[in-house]
Structure formats: C-alpha cells, structure tokens
PDB file of all heavy atoms in Angstrom:
ATOM      1  N   VAL A 140     -29.978   7.836   5.977  1.00  0.00           N
ATOM      2  CA  VAL A 140     -30.813   8.949   6.448  1.00  0.00           C
ATOM      3  C   VAL A 140     -30.395  10.284   5.841  1.00  0.00           C
ATOM      4  O   VAL A 140     -31.165  11.241   5.889  1.00  0.00           O
ATOM      5  CB  VAL A 140     -30.818   9.045   7.993  1.00  0.00           C
ATOM      6  CG1 VAL A 140     -31.518   7.839   8.589  1.00  0.00           C
ATOM      7  CG2 VAL A 140     -29.412   9.183   8.546  1.00  0.00           C
ATOM      8  N   SER A 141     -29.193  10.337   5.252  1.00  0.00           N
ATOM      9  CA  SER A 141     -28.758  11.590   4.634  1.00  0.00           C
ATOM     10  C   SER A 141     -27.571  11.313   3.725  1.00  0.00           C
ATOM     11  O   SER A 141     -26.834  10.346   3.925  1.00  0.00           O
ATOM     12  CB  SER A 141     -28.360  12.606   5.710  1.00  0.00           C
ATOM     13  OG  SER A 141     -28.042  13.850   5.122  1.00  0.00           O
ATOM     14  N   THR A 142     -27.427  12.162   2.732  1.00  0.00           N
ATOM     15  CA  THR A 142     -26.236  12.138   1.881  1.00  0.00           C
ATOM     16  C   THR A 142     -25.768  13.569   1.707  1.00  0.00           C
ATOM     17  O   THR A 142     -26.528  14.516   1.870  1.00  0.00           O
ATOM     18  CB  THR A 142     -26.529  11.530   0.488  1.00  0.00           C
ATOM     19  OG1 THR A 142     -27.512  12.319  -0.168  1.00  0.00           O
ATOM     20  CG2 THR A 142     -26.987  10.083   0.598  1.00  0.00           C
ATOM     21  N   GLY A 143     -24.518  13.745   1.392  1.00  0.00           N
ATOM     22  CA  GLY A 143     -23.964  15.085   1.178  1.00  0.00           C
ATOM     23  C   GLY A 143     -22.489  15.085   1.474  1.00  0.00           C
ATOM     24  O   GLY A 143     -21.746  14.216   1.017  1.00  0.00           O
ATOM     25  N   THR A 144     -22.073  16.037   2.306  1.00  0.00           N
ATOM     26  CA  THR A 144     -20.684  16.117   2.760  1.00  0.00           C
ATOM     27  C   THR A 144     -20.697  16.055   4.277  1.00  0.00           C
ATOM     28  O   THR A 144     -21.742  16.255   4.916  1.00  0.00           O
ATOM     29  CB  THR A 144     -20.021  17.438   2.317  1.00  0.00           C
ATOM     30  OG1 THR A 144     -20.699  18.521   2.975  1.00  0.00           O
ATOM     31  CG2 THR A 144     -20.074  17.622   0.803  1.00  0.00           C
ATOM     32  N   LEU A 145     -19.529  15.807   4.858  1.00  0.00           N
ATOM     33  CA  LEU A 145     -19.473  15.818   6.325  1.00  0.00           C
ATOM     34  C   LEU A 145     -19.877  17.191   6.845  1.00  0.00           C
ATOM     35  O   LEU A 145     -20.579  17.301   7.855  1.00  0.00           O
ATOM     36  CB  LEU A 145     -18.076  15.432   6.808  1.00  0.00           C
ATOM     37  CG  LEU A 145     -17.726  13.949   6.707  1.00  0.00           C
ATOM     38  CD1 LEU A 145     -16.270  13.701   7.101  1.00  0.00           C
ATOM     39  CD2 LEU A 145     -18.645  13.110   7.571  1.00  0.00           C
ATOM     40  N   ALA A 146     -19.501  18.240   6.134  1.00  0.00           N
ATOM     41  CA  ALA A 146     -19.862  19.596   6.565  1.00  0.00           C
ATOM     42  C   ALA A 146     -21.372  19.810   6.505  1.00  0.00           C
ATOM     43  O   ALA A 146     -21.966  20.395   7.418  1.00  0.00           O
ATOM     44  CB  ALA A 146     -19.138  20.628   5.699  1.00  0.00           C
ATOM     45  N   SER A 147     -22.014  19.325   5.444  1.00  0.00           N
ATOM     46  CA  SER A 147     -23.468  19.522   5.329  1.00  0.00           C
ATOM     47  C   SER A 147     -24.223  18.701   6.370  1.00  0.00           C
ATOM     48  O   SER A 147     -25.360  19.030   6.722  1.00  0.00           O
ATOM     49  CB  SER A 147     -23.961  19.187   3.920  1.00  0.00           C
ATOM     50  OG  SER A 147     -23.926  17.792   3.678  1.00  0.00           O
ATOM     51  N   MET A 148     -23.605  17.629   6.862  1.00  0.00           N
ATOM     52  CA  MET A 148     -24.247  16.787   7.859  1.00  0.00           C
ATOM     53  C   MET A 148     -23.900  17.179   9.291  1.00  0.00           C
ATOM     54  O   MET A 148     -24.369  16.556  10.233  1.00  0.00           O
ATOM     55  CB  MET A 148     -23.840  15.325   7.639  1.00  0.00           C
ATOM     56  CG  MET A 148     -24.394  14.726   6.373  1.00  0.00           C
ATOM     57  SD  MET A 148     -23.933  12.996   6.311  1.00  0.00           S
ATOM     58  CE  MET A 148     -23.991  12.738   4.557  1.00  0.00           C
ATOM     59  N   LYS A 149     -23.095  18.245   9.452  1.00  0.00           N
ATOM     60  CA  LYS A 149     -22.647  18.644  10.783  1.00  0.00           C
ATOM     61  C   LYS A 149     -23.798  18.802  11.775  1.00  0.00           C
ATOM     62  O   LYS A 149     -23.708  18.279  12.899  1.00  0.00           O
ATOM     63  CB  LYS A 149     -21.807  19.912  10.719  1.00  0.00           C
ATOM     64  CG  LYS A 149     -21.208  20.286  12.060  1.00  0.00           C
ATOM     65  CD  LYS A 149     -20.122  21.301  11.910  1.00  0.00           C
ATOM     66  CE  LYS A 149     -19.537  21.775  13.222  1.00  0.00           C
ATOM     67  NZ  LYS A 149     -19.758  21.054  14.418  1.00  0.00           N
ATOM     68  N   PRO A 150     -24.903  19.474  11.423  1.00  0.00           N
ATOM     69  CA  PRO A 150     -25.999  19.585  12.410  1.00  0.00           C
ATOM     70  C   PRO A 150     -26.526  18.209  12.850  1.00  0.00           C
ATOM     71  O   PRO A 150     -26.811  17.994  14.030  1.00  0.00           O
ATOM     72  CB  PRO A 150     -27.075  20.362  11.666  1.00  0.00           C
ATOM     73  CG  PRO A 150     -26.336  21.121  10.621  1.00  0.00           C
ATOM     74  CD  PRO A 150     -25.188  20.240  10.222  1.00  0.00           C
ATOM     75  N   TRP A 151     -26.608  17.286  11.935  1.00  0.00           N
ATOM     76  CA  TRP A 151     -27.067  15.939  12.256  1.00  0.00           C
ATOM     77  C   TRP A 151     -26.024  15.232  13.125  1.00  0.00           C
ATOM     78  O   TRP A 151     -26.351  14.613  14.139  1.00  0.00           O
ATOM     79  CB  TRP A 151     -27.307  15.175  10.950  1.00  0.00           C
ATOM     80  CG  TRP A 151     -27.919  13.817  11.115  1.00  0.00           C
ATOM     81  CD1 TRP A 151     -29.240  13.518  11.194  1.00  0.00           C
ATOM     82  CD2 TRP A 151     -27.226  12.579  11.258  1.00  0.00           C
ATOM     83  NE1 TRP A 151     -29.427  12.164  11.356  1.00  0.00           N
ATOM     84  CE2 TRP A 151     -28.191  11.561  11.400  1.00  0.00           C
ATOM     85  CE3 TRP A 151     -25.890  12.211  11.269  1.00  0.00           C
ATOM     86  CZ2 TRP A 151     -27.870  10.220  11.557  1.00  0.00           C
ATOM     87  CZ3 TRP A 151     -25.556  10.872  11.421  1.00  0.00           C
ATOM     88  CH2 TRP A 151     -26.542   9.896  11.563  1.00  0.00           C
ATOM     89  N   LEU A 152     -24.751  15.333  12.732  1.00  0.00           N
ATOM     90  CA  LEU A 152     -23.674  14.672  13.462  1.00  0.00           C
ATOM     91  C   LEU A 152     -23.533  15.229  14.878  1.00  0.00           C
ATOM     92  O   LEU A 152     -23.211  14.497  15.811  1.00  0.00           O
ATOM     93  CB  LEU A 152     -22.353  14.799  12.699  1.00  0.00           C
ATOM     94  CG  LEU A 152     -22.315  14.114  11.317  1.00  0.00           C
ATOM     95  CD1 LEU A 152     -21.008  14.450  10.594  1.00  0.00           C
ATOM     96  CD2 LEU A 152     -22.497  12.618  11.440  1.00  0.00           C
ATOM     97  N   ASP A 153     -23.777  16.545  15.034  1.00  0.00           N
ATOM     98  CA  ASP A 153     -23.690  17.153  16.364  1.00  0.00           C
ATOM     99  C   ASP A 153     -24.765  16.615  17.310  1.00  0.00           C
ATOM    100  O   ASP A 153     -24.593  16.647  18.531  1.00  0.00           O
ATOM    101  CB  ASP A 153     -23.816  18.681  16.275  1.00  0.00           C
ATOM    102  CG  ASP A 153     -22.579  19.334  15.668  1.00  0.00           C
ATOM    103  OD1 ASP A 153     -21.517  18.670  15.582  1.00  0.00           O
ATOM    104  OD2 ASP A 153     -22.677  20.511  15.259  1.00  0.00           O
ATOM    105  N   GLN A 154     -25.846  16.123  16.771  1.00  0.00           N
ATOM    106  CA  GLN A 154     -26.974  15.647  17.579  1.00  0.00           C
ATOM    107  C   GLN A 154     -26.888  14.159  17.912  1.00  0.00           C
ATOM    108  O   GLN A 154     -27.593  13.693  18.799  1.00  0.00           O
ATOM    109  CB  GLN A 154     -28.296  15.903  16.829  1.00  0.00           C
ATOM    110  CG  GLN A 154     -28.606  17.344  16.576  1.00  0.00           C
ATOM    111  CD  GLN A 154     -28.911  18.085  17.877  1.00  0.00           C
ATOM    112  OE1 GLN A 154     -29.614  17.566  18.733  1.00  0.00           O
ATOM    113  NE2 GLN A 154     -28.371  19.272  18.014  1.00  0.00           N
ATOM    114  N   HIS A 155     -26.074  13.405  17.175  1.00  0.00           N
ATOM    115  CA  HIS A 155     -26.058  11.951  17.332  1.00  0.00           C
ATOM    116  C   HIS A 155     -24.638  11.431  17.490  1.00  0.00           C
ATOM    117  O   HIS A 155     -23.700  11.914  16.838  1.00  0.00           O
ATOM    118  CB  HIS A 155     -26.694  11.282  16.107  1.00  0.00           C
ATOM    119  CG  HIS A 155     -28.114  11.679  15.875  1.00  0.00           C
ATOM    120  ND1 HIS A 155     -29.152  11.110  16.553  1.00  0.00           N
ATOM    121  CD2 HIS A 155     -28.657  12.617  15.049  1.00  0.00           C
ATOM    122  CE1 HIS A 155     -30.294  11.660  16.153  1.00  0.00           C
ATOM    123  NE2 HIS A 155     -30.011  12.581  15.248  1.00  0.00           N
ATOM    124  N   GLU A 156     -24.516  10.417  18.330  1.00  0.00           N
ATOM    125  CA  GLU A 156     -23.243   9.722  18.425  1.00  0.00           C
ATOM    126  C   GLU A 156     -22.979   9.065  17.075  1.00  0.00           C
ATOM    127  O   GLU A 156     -23.893   8.506  16.464  1.00  0.00           O
ATOM    128  CB  GLU A 156     -23.340   8.663  19.528  1.00  0.00           C
ATOM    129  CG  GLU A 156     -22.029   8.010  19.831  1.00  0.00           C
ATOM    130  CD  GLU A 156     -22.151   7.031  20.997  1.00  0.00           C
ATOM    131  OE1 GLU A 156     -22.803   7.359  22.000  1.00  0.00           O
ATOM    132  OE2 GLU A 156     -21.591   5.929  20.858  1.00  0.00           O
ATOM    133  N   HIS A 157     -21.751   9.121  16.588  1.00  0.00           N
ATOM    134  CA  HIS A 157     -21.481   8.588  15.256  1.00  0.00           C
ATOM    135  C   HIS A 157     -20.032   8.127  15.128  1.00  0.00           C
ATOM    136  O   HIS A 157     -19.183   8.479  15.949  1.00  0.00           O
ATOM    137  CB  HIS A 157     -21.785   9.638  14.174  1.00  0.00           C
ATOM    138  CG  HIS A 157     -20.922  10.846  14.265  1.00  0.00           C
ATOM    139  ND1 HIS A 157     -21.213  11.888  15.118  1.00  0.00           N
ATOM    140  CD2 HIS A 157     -19.758  11.170  13.644  1.00  0.00           C
ATOM    141  CE1 HIS A 157     -20.275  12.807  15.006  1.00  0.00           C
ATOM    142  NE2 HIS A 157     -19.380  12.394  14.121  1.00  0.00           N
ATOM    143  N   VAL A 158     -19.796   7.357  14.100  1.00  0.00           N
ATOM    144  CA  VAL A 158     -18.460   6.892  13.732  1.00  0.00           C
ATOM    145  C   VAL A 158     -18.290   7.187  12.256  1.00  0.00           C
ATOM    146  O   VAL A 158     -19.173   6.897  11.451  1.00  0.00           O
ATOM    147  CB  VAL A 158     -18.317   5.373  13.984  1.00  0.00           C
ATOM    148  CG1 VAL A 158     -16.980   4.858  13.449  1.00  0.00           C
ATOM    149  CG2 VAL A 158     -18.500   5.039  15.450  1.00  0.00           C
ATOM    150  N   VAL A 159     -17.170   7.759  11.868  1.00  0.00           N
ATOM    151  CA  VAL A 159     -16.884   7.988  10.446  1.00  0.00           C
ATOM    152  C   VAL A 159     -16.119   6.754   9.954  1.00  0.00           C
ATOM    153  O   VAL A 159     -15.011   6.470  10.394  1.00  0.00           O
ATOM    154  CB  VAL A 159     -16.063   9.277  10.227  1.00  0.00           C
ATOM    155  CG1 VAL A 159     -15.697   9.418   8.755  1.00  0.00           C
ATOM    156  CG2 VAL A 159     -16.841  10.492  10.718  1.00  0.00           C
ATOM    157  N   ASP A 160     -16.757   6.033   9.040  1.00  0.00           N
ATOM    158  CA  ASP A 160     -16.188   4.809   8.460  1.00  0.00           C
ATOM    159  C   ASP A 160     -15.706   5.162   7.055  1.00  0.00           C
ATOM    160  O   ASP A 160     -16.497   5.523   6.189  1.00  0.00           O
ATOM    161  CB  ASP A 160     -17.281   3.733   8.402  1.00  0.00           C
ATOM    162  CG  ASP A 160     -16.798   2.423   7.795  1.00  0.00           C
ATOM    163  OD1 ASP A 160     -15.711   2.397   7.164  1.00  0.00           O
ATOM    164  OD2 ASP A 160     -17.529   1.429   7.931  1.00  0.00           O
ATOM    165  N   ARG A 161     -14.421   5.075   6.819  1.00  0.00           N
ATOM    166  CA  ARG A 161     -13.847   5.461   5.528  1.00  0.00           C
ATOM    167  C   ARG A 161     -13.593   4.245   4.616  1.00  0.00           C
ATOM    168  O   ARG A 161     -12.858   4.346   3.636  1.00  0.00           O
ATOM    169  CB  ARG A 161     -12.568   6.259   5.751  1.00  0.00           C
ATOM    170  CG  ARG A 161     -12.833   7.562   6.499  1.00  0.00           C
ATOM    171  CD  ARG A 161     -11.590   8.447   6.536  1.00  0.00           C
ATOM    172  NE  ARG A 161     -11.838   9.657   7.280  1.00  0.00           N
ATOM    173  CZ  ARG A 161     -12.423  10.751   6.807  1.00  0.00           C
ATOM    174  NH1 ARG A 161     -12.845  10.781   5.565  1.00  0.00           N
ATOM    175  NH2 ARG A 161     -12.591  11.811   7.574  1.00  0.00           N
ATOM    176  N   THR A 162     -14.248   3.139   4.906  1.00  0.00           N
ATOM    177  CA  THR A 162     -14.049   1.911   4.132  1.00  0.00           C
ATOM    178  C   THR A 162     -14.311   2.128   2.646  1.00  0.00           C
ATOM    179  O   THR A 162     -13.610   1.586   1.793  1.00  0.00           O
ATOM    180  CB  THR A 162     -14.988   0.796   4.645  1.00  0.00           C
ATOM    181  OG1 THR A 162     -14.778   0.631   6.038  1.00  0.00           O
ATOM    182  CG2 THR A 162     -14.743  -0.511   3.923  1.00  0.00           C
ATOM    183  N   LEU A 163     -15.309   2.901   2.318  1.00  0.00           N
ATOM    184  CA  LEU A 163     -15.687   3.092   0.909  1.00  0.00           C
ATOM    185  C   LEU A 163     -15.176   4.417   0.339  1.00  0.00           C
ATOM    186  O   LEU A 163     -15.567   4.808  -0.756  1.00  0.00           O
ATOM    187  CB  LEU A 163     -17.213   2.999   0.774  1.00  0.00           C
ATOM    188  CG  LEU A 163     -17.804   1.649   1.191  1.00  0.00           C
ATOM    189  CD1 LEU A 163     -19.325   1.694   1.156  1.00  0.00           C
ATOM    190  CD2 LEU A 163     -17.282   0.530   0.317  1.00  0.00           C
ATOM    191  N   GLU A 164     -14.302   5.077   1.039  1.00  0.00           N
ATOM    192  CA  GLU A 164     -13.748   6.342   0.549  1.00  0.00           C
ATOM    193  C   GLU A 164     -13.066   6.134  -0.792  1.00  0.00           C
ATOM    194  O   GLU A 164     -12.342   5.161  -1.011  1.00  0.00           O
ATOM    195  CB  GLU A 164     -12.742   6.897   1.569  1.00  0.00           C
ATOM    196  CG  GLU A 164     -12.259   8.290   1.233  1.00  0.00           C
ATOM    197  CD  GLU A 164     -11.457   8.897   2.383  1.00  0.00           C
ATOM    198  OE1 GLU A 164     -10.752   8.155   3.099  1.00  0.00           O
ATOM    199  OE2 GLU A 164     -11.547  10.116   2.563  1.00  0.00           O
ATOM    200  N   GLY A 165     -13.366   7.010  -1.756  1.00  0.00           N
ATOM    201  CA  GLY A 165     -12.799   6.898  -3.091  1.00  0.00           C
ATOM    202  C   GLY A 165     -13.522   5.913  -3.991  1.00  0.00           C
ATOM    203  O   GLY A 165     -13.123   5.708  -5.131  1.00  0.00           O
ATOM    204  N   LYS A 166     -14.567   5.306  -3.497  1.00  0.00           N
ATOM    205  CA  LYS A 166     -15.342   4.334  -4.273  1.00  0.00           C
ATOM    206  C   LYS A 166     -16.653   4.975  -4.739  1.00  0.00           C
ATOM    207  O   LYS A 166     -17.058   6.023  -4.257  1.00  0.00           O
ATOM    208  CB  LYS A 166     -15.678   3.107  -3.416  1.00  0.00           C
ATOM    209  CG  LYS A 166     -14.490   2.464  -2.755  1.00  0.00           C
ATOM    210  CD  LYS A 166     -13.924   1.381  -3.601  1.00  0.00           C
ATOM    211  CE  LYS A 166     -12.913   0.591  -2.797  1.00  0.00           C
ATOM    212  NZ  LYS A 166     -11.636   0.514  -3.331  1.00  0.00           N
ATOM    213  N   VAL A 167     -17.307   4.325  -5.663  1.00  0.00           N
ATOM    214  CA  VAL A 167     -18.610   4.769  -6.142  1.00  0.00           C
ATOM    215  C   VAL A 167     -19.649   3.839  -5.543  1.00  0.00           C
ATOM    216  O   VAL A 167     -19.523   2.618  -5.629  1.00  0.00           O
ATOM    217  CB  VAL A 167     -18.697   4.743  -7.683  1.00  0.00           C
ATOM    218  CG1 VAL A 167     -20.106   5.061  -8.160  1.00  0.00           C
ATOM    219  CG2 VAL A 167     -17.694   5.713  -8.290  1.00  0.00           C
ATOM    220  N   ILE A 168     -20.675   4.414  -4.949  1.00  0.00           N
ATOM    221  CA  ILE A 168     -21.764   3.634  -4.373  1.00  0.00           C
ATOM    222  C   ILE A 168     -23.021   3.942  -5.184  1.00  0.00           C
ATOM    223  O   ILE A 168     -23.363   5.097  -5.408  1.00  0.00           O
ATOM    224  CB  ILE A 168     -22.020   4.030  -2.905  1.00  0.00           C
ATOM    225  CG1 ILE A 168     -20.762   3.833  -2.067  1.00  0.00           C
ATOM    226  CG2 ILE A 168     -23.182   3.229  -2.329  1.00  0.00           C
ATOM    227  CD1 ILE A 168     -20.892   4.398  -0.658  1.00  0.00           C
ATOM    228  N   LEU A 169     -23.681   2.899  -5.645  1.00  0.00           N
ATOM    229  CA  LEU A 169     -24.960   3.061  -6.336  1.00  0.00           C
ATOM    230  C   LEU A 169     -26.062   2.541  -5.431  1.00  0.00           C
ATOM    231  O   LEU A 169     -25.910   1.490  -4.814  1.00  0.00           O
ATOM    232  CB  LEU A 169     -24.976   2.275  -7.646  1.00  0.00           C
ATOM    233  CG  LEU A 169     -24.060   2.780  -8.740  1.00  0.00           C
ATOM    234  CD1 LEU A 169     -24.069   1.802  -9.914  1.00  0.00           C
ATOM    235  CD2 LEU A 169     -24.532   4.132  -9.209  1.00  0.00           C
ATOM    236  N   PRO A 170     -27.170   3.237  -5.363  1.00  0.00           N
ATOM    237  CA  PRO A 170     -28.260   2.739  -4.528  1.00  0.00           C
ATOM    238  C   PRO A 170     -28.879   1.495  -5.157  1.00  0.00           C
ATOM    239  O   PRO A 170     -28.910   1.344  -6.370  1.00  0.00           O
ATOM    240  CB  PRO A 170     -29.265   3.904  -4.521  1.00  0.00           C
ATOM    241  CG  PRO A 170     -28.981   4.647  -5.782  1.00  0.00           C
ATOM    242  CD  PRO A 170     -27.500   4.486  -6.031  1.00  0.00           C
TER     243      PRO A 170
END
C-alpha cells in the first residue's frame, strides 16, 4: 500500500496497528 521510509509512512502508521518486520532489511526487493 506504500513505499518510502518509516518517517514518510508515519501518518499511515499512526492510523493503523502495525508490526515492523526487518526480515528483508539490507536486501533488494524487486516487484
């Protein structure tokens, strides 16, 4: 539903319950 940074998603994150999953941190994801 969105891409960017955690800071850019703050308004969205403030509105919804969420979990930060760092499984792919440091990896490249291609759509």
Side-chain angles (χ1 to χ4, degrees):
V140 293
S141 185
T142 61
T144 65
L145 285 175
S147 72
M148 292 184 205
K149 186 165 177 16
W151 186 87
L152 297 173
D153 288 345
Q154 297 292 318
H155 300 279
E156 188 176 317
H157 63 276
V158 173
V159 176
D160 179 346
R161 297 188 182 278
T162 305
L163 299 174
E164 188 170 34
K166 307 268 191 237
V167 174
I168 302 172
L169 292 173

